[in-house]
């Protein structure tokens, strides 16, 4: 069913003059059906590719103002150290150690660990407050900017990460394409985002805590996110349903290197088993590892 939300929706809050209607970001379809109405925002599903998103939503300029003024406390990172280090080992396994760009790097906790582990680190963060904290932690390679406005030389990064970022983007497809240009051939893109197919999301629907339409503009699952990436020139390596570092932690406990033949075999087996279990459990988050397809440059 094609809907003209500009005409049909009665916007009920003070931000109604800062809204814009959009088509589907994956397939550009305008055939949309309503799913939820929450906090004054309509959440719709694309009838052609099943992408779920807010429509109409806050205009890009309004969102920039919100994110630039967001404040952060300088948090300690000790509880996340092990997970960060294991993640970096996985990145090295898939793409080799080198340059890494964290989009939406917040206070730079992850990049601090990456720098200490030998990576050349870069970060993008829209919040002025968080950007200053990250610069103090990591250095001048932290830039205050949005993902849509990033500018680096082509074929520069081994790895680009977006942790809990893609759901906030105004134009995910545009950003995904930009990142492809920044990655070296066979470079790695890692995206973590809430999973719309989680059991909690299905059970409580509009009350799901990740359903935050003012800032969460898109809601992906393990079909729509790989579809977006594949259509933009990436090969999907793995879709993890929560805790992608758990298999590597088990291998480390056995004192087996992941780069050995036995280590690689165990890693792929354990990842498959745990992913199957988590698919049944319906975990809240998913992490997609995607590789830039080789191409002549």
């Amino acid at each position: 069913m094609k809907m003209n939300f500009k005409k049909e929706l009665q916007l009920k809050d003070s931000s109604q003059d800062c809204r814009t209607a959009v088509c589907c970001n994956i397939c550009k379809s305008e055939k949309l059906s309503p799913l939820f109405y929450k906090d004054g925002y309509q959440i719709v599903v694309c009838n052609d590719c099943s992408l779920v998103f807010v429509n109409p939503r806050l205009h890009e300029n309004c969102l920039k103002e919100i994110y630039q003024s967001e404040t952060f406390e300088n948090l300690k990172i000790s509880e996340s150290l092990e997970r960060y280090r294991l993640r970096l080992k996985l990145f090295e396994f898939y793409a080799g150690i080198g340059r890494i760009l964290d989009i939406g790097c917040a206070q730079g906790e992850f990049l601090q660990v990456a720098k200490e582990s030998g990576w050349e680190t870069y970060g993008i963060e829209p919040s002025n407050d968080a950007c200053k904290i990250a610069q103090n932690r990591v250095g001048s390679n932290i830039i205050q900017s949005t993902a849509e406005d990033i500018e680096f030389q082509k074929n520069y990064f081994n790895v680009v990460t977006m942790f809990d970022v893609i759901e906030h983007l105004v134009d995910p497809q545009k950003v995904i394409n930009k990142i492809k240009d920044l990655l070296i051939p066979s470079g790695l893109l890692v995206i973590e985002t809430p999973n719309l197919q989680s059991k909690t999301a299905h059970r409580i629907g509009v009350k799901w805590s990740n359903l935050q339409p003012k800032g969460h503009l898109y809601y992906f699952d393990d079909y729509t996110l790989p579809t977006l990436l594949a259509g933009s020139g990436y090969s999907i390596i793995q879709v993890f349903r929560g805790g992608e570092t758990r298999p590597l932690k088990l291998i480390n406990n056995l004192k087996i290197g992941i780069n050995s033949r036995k280590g690689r075999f165990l890693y792929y087996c354990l990842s498959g088993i745990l992913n199957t279990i988590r698919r049944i459990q319906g975990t809240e988050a998913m992490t997609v590892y995607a590789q830039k397809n080789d191409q002549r440059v």
Side-chain angles (χ1 to χ4, degrees):
M1 176 173 58
K2 185 175 180 179
M3 304 185 69
N4 186 337
F5 287 103
K6 282 186 176 179
K7 293 181 179 179
E8 294 183 18
L9 282 184
Q10 297 297 317
L11 304 178
K12 299 179 180 179
D13 65 21
S14 60
S15 63
Q16 58 181 314
D17 58 344
C18 194
R19 305 238 188 148
T20 183
V22 294
C23 63
C24 176
N25 194 251
I26 293 179
C27 68
K28 311 309 176 188
S29 174
E30 295 182 350
K31 298 176 182 177
L32 313 173
S33 296
L35 278 183
F36 303 112
Y37 189 78
K38 184 176 183 180
D39 300 334
Y41 293 83
Q42 183 83 35
I43 299 168
V44 302
V45 59
C46 175
N47 293 344
D48 291 331
C49 74
S50 301
L51 179 65
V52 174
F53 57 101
V54 179
N55 191 37
R57 50 101 188 284
L58 287 180
H59 191 274
E60 182 176 2
N61 291 336
C62 299
L63 289 165
K64 281 184 179 180
E65 290 180 10
I66 292 171
Y67 293 134
Q68 286 171 357
S69 61
E70 194 171 9
T71 58
F72 289 78
E73 293 181 3
N74 196 336
L75 301 177
K76 295 181 179 180
I77 62 173
S78 57
E79 294 181 0
S80 302
L81 280 176
E82 183 181 24
R83 188 183 183 203
Y84 290 157
R85 287 170 180 155
L86 288 171
R87 264 190 162 160
L88 289 164
K89 285 187 177 182
L90 281 182
F91 298 170
E92 185 176 351
F93 174 67
Y94 284 118
I97 195 167
R99 298 188 185 98
I100 186 169
L101 171 65
D102 188 17
I103 297 175
C105 67
Q107 302 166 81
E109 307 98 318
F110 172 69
L111 288 179
Q112 180 181 345
V113 178
K115 186 175 183 179
E116 292 168 354
S117 301
W119 291 77
E120 185 178 336
T121 53
Y122 297 79
I124 295 291
E125 172 54 46
S127 164
N128 180 59
D129 192 19
C131 188
K132 288 179 179 177
I133 297 173
Q135 287 171 343
N136 288 334
R137 272 191 168 136
V138 185
S140 59
N141 285 342
I142 307 299
I143 301 169
Q144 185 179 3
S145 178
T146 63
E148 288 83 0
D149 296 330
I150 54 175
E151 290 187 9
F152 288 96
Q153 68 186 67
K154 292 184 177 182
N155 304 303
Y156 194 66
F157 294 103
N158 297 70
V159 178
V160 175
T161 59
M162 290 196 292
F163 302 132
D164 297 312
V165 168
I166 194 169
E167 63 270 20
H168 295 272
L169 298 181
V170 169
D171 190 343
Q173 189 175 72
K174 176 183 176 181
V175 173
I176 293 298
N177 286 330
K178 271 196 170 186
I179 291 171
K180 185 178 66 174
D181 289 337
L182 303 182
L183 285 168
I184 64 173
S186 300
L188 182 68
L189 171 60
V190 180
I191 299 175
E192 184 173 84
T193 189
N195 182 10
L196 186 62
Q197 292 298 322
S198 71
K199 280 194 173 180
T200 305
H202 277 273
R203 186 175 69 252
I204 63 178
V206 72
K207 295 182 179 180
W208 186 40
S209 62
N210 284 303
L211 211 64
Q212 302 171 25
K214 188 172 183 178
H216 288 189
L217 308 181
Y218 291 92
Y219 300 90
F220 293 97
D221 56 35
D222 53 13
Y223 169 75
T224 53
L225 185 51
T227 297
L228 172 64
L229 291 166
S232 298
Y234 293 84
S235 298
I236 307 303
I237 296 175
Q238 186 73 274
V239 179
F240 297 95
R241 293 161 188 87
E244 84 275 19
T245 59
R246 185 65 61 82
L248 183 55
K249 183 177 180 180
L250 294 172
I251 291 171
N252 282 350
N253 289 340
L254 294 172
K255 300 187 183 303
I256 300 172
I258 190 174
N259 288 313
S260 67
R261 181 178 296 180
K262 187 176 182 180
R264 288 195 299 270
F265 174 77
L266 284 173
Y267 172 73
Y268 289 126
C269 287
L270 289 170
S271 294
I273 293 169
L274 289 174
N275 256 340
T276 300
I277 293 171
R278 286 169 179 146
R279 183 192 290 270
I280 296 170
Q281 292 175 336
T283 52
E284 283 290 287
M286 64 176 178
T287 307
V288 178
Y289 281 48
Q291 192 172 48
K292 174 182 175 179
N293 288 332
D294 286 329
Q295 52 185 284
R296 293 182 180 180
V297 295

